[in-house]
Amino acid sequence: MTQTHIPVLAGELIDVVDPRPGEVAVDCTIGGGGHARLVADRLGPAGTLIGIDRDPVAEERFAELAAEVTCQTRFIRADFATALAELNGEGLSADLVYMDLGMSSMQVDTWERGFSYAYDAPLDMRMDPEQPLTAAEILNTWDERRLARLLREYGEERFAVNIARAVVRERRRRELGTTHELVDLIKSALPGHAAFAGSHPARRTFQALRIAVNDELTQLEDALPMAWDLLRPGGRLAAIAFHSLEDRTVKRFLARLARGCVCPPELPVCVCGRLPEAELLTRRALAPTPGEVAANPRSRSAHLRAARKLEEVAG
């Protein structure tokens, strides 16, 4: 049964990006629509909200939201890199672009989609059910070295080699098909102390598989510059990340934009003429309050970063 969607860092997002009446806002990851509803309420009848998501369930949620808000609305069903490229091609200028990265609650709680280790379901994990690659295909076809690298880089899993070896050994006997088969395999591959300490032993593996299935990091790297190009001067870009690799990608991108002179420090005066393109709205990432984490444990790892596009940029 799908639970009520709880938007993470919702108040902080609204405070930082400050949606205003009549503006054009682009929600790159509609999901359950929690952030979109708060933004739409600020835009008013003269404003426009453009929603993006590759999940058909999100499109249904957006249709419900569109019928209830006063602003103009438009939905693009695509991954956000593709959609942002389309909007740039149209010559759209936006005042606000924001991203809530990772999974939405509706995806986690729809057990049959295989995102959660809490339910026994097919090893799917596709945000777009029409795409070909699934978690099952990765687990049953990738070689041991490639699997270990995936788990280590995307899941930051200490025991990536152990788990990859166990997967390859098991699939010689039978094809892996369900989430609980994978969970049991992971537990058997870990040293005793690791299988029962800290967070769920399968969390990092499931995270790595989901990121790989949906090509999430490449999508983010491609989308950030397109989102920035979409903004008119004074526009705001914000991203909520749940994974250190995502947060690092956002942090570095915004830091580059906010940096001015890049001349060597030994030069007495600037000769590069580079001007900052952005003003950071979050000097450090904003994190959920203890109260939000208590009310919504899934918010625990969230980090919000944002920047404003400056009027004058380097030519």
Side-chain angles (χ1 to χ4, degrees):
M1 183 173 67
T2 302
Q3 299 177 359
T4 301
H5 174 68
I6 305 174
V8 173
L9 290 170
E12 290 84 350
L13 176 70
I14 296 300
D15 288 344
V16 168
V17 299
D18 188 23
R20 301 162 194 166
E23 290 192 323
V24 176
V26 180
D27 186 322
C28 295
T29 48
I30 280 291
H35 294 112
R37 185 175 296 276
L38 295 174
V39 171
D41 288 343
R42 297 289 190 95
L43 298 179
T48 300
L49 174 67
I50 299 173
I52 299 168
D53 210 295
R54 49 182 156 180
D55 193 323
V57 178
E59 184 172 10
E60 296 172 9
R61 294 286 183 92
F62 188 81
E64 296 171 2
L65 182 150
E68 299 171 357
V69 299
T70 60
C71 66
Q72 302 299 308
T73 59
R74 173 186 174 188
F75 185 83
I76 302 175
R77 187 183 163 198
D79 62 76
F80 52 73
T82 299
L84 289 170
E86 178 182 331
L87 293 173
N88 272 297
E90 295 174 3
L92 179 80
S93 293
D95 302 283
L96 173 60
V97 181
Y98 59 97
M99 308 170 178
D100 180 9
L101 304 168
M103 292 180 295
S104 69
S105 296
M106 68 181 187
Q107 289 169 333
V108 177
D109 296 324
T110 306
W111 66 267
E112 63 269 20
R113 300 185 68 175
F115 285 104
S116 174
Y117 41 75
Y119 311 105
D120 194 19
L123 282 164
D124 193 318
M125 302 191 193
R126 293 174 295 175
M127 293 181 179
D128 179 357
E130 295 178 3
Q131 74 176 49
L133 184 64
T134 66
E137 180 175 345
I138 290 175
L139 289 164
N140 288 299
T141 64
W142 286 19
D143 64 45
E144 183 178 323
R145 181 176 296 181
R146 190 179 181 191
L147 280 173
R149 186 170 63 249
L150 166 66
L151 301 182
R152 183 172 54 252
E153 293 180 0
Y154 287 1
E156 298 175 308
E157 172 57 67
R158 288 174 56 202
F159 302 101
V161 172
N162 304 51
I163 295 170
R165 185 174 298 134
V167 166
V168 171
R169 184 171 58 244
E170 179 66 16
R171 76 190 191 197
R172 294 193 187 108
R173 189 174 69 87
R174 58 163 182 167
E175 184 174 279
L176 290 170
T178 71
T179 54
H180 279 187
E181 288 174 358
L182 178 58
V183 169
D184 290 342
L185 191 62
I186 293 167
K187 289 178 178 178
S188 71
L190 298 182
H193 69 278
F196 301 100
S199 60
H200 194 285
R203 181 178 67 83
R204 295 180 183 275
T205 296
F206 272 64
Q207 172 183 278
L209 287 168
R210 190 204 78 227
I211 290 172
V213 166
N214 298 289
D215 198 20
E216 293 176 33
L217 290 176
T218 302
Q219 286 283 320
L220 179 60
E221 290 168 357
D222 291 345
L224 285 170
M226 290 190 285
W228 191 253
D229 289 344
L230 202 63
L231 291 173
R232 57 172 56 98
R236 289 85 69 203
L237 172 64
I240 299 173
F242 293 82
H243 184 283
S244 60
L245 293 176
E246 292 174 337
D247 183 52
R248 199 175 305 135
T249 299
V250 175
K251 178 182 179 180
R252 289 174 177 171
F253 176 76
L254 296 182
R256 285 197 303 271
L257 292 172
R259 187 179 180 187
C261 174
V262 293
C263 292
E266 61 269 18
L267 290 182
V269 295
C270 173
V271 296
C272 71
R274 178 186 170 96
L275 298 174
E277 297 182 47
E279 173 196 0
L280 297 180
L281 299 175
T282 51
R283 289 293 170 182
R284 292 186 176 182
L286 301 182
T289 63
E292 179 172 4
V293 173
N296 180 17
R298 290 174 182 169
S299 70
R300 183 178 291 107
S301 60
H303 289 86
L304 167 64
R305 298 184 188 272
R308 175 186 291 112
K309 194 168 194 175
L310 297 177
E311 296 288 338
E312 296 182 7
V313 299

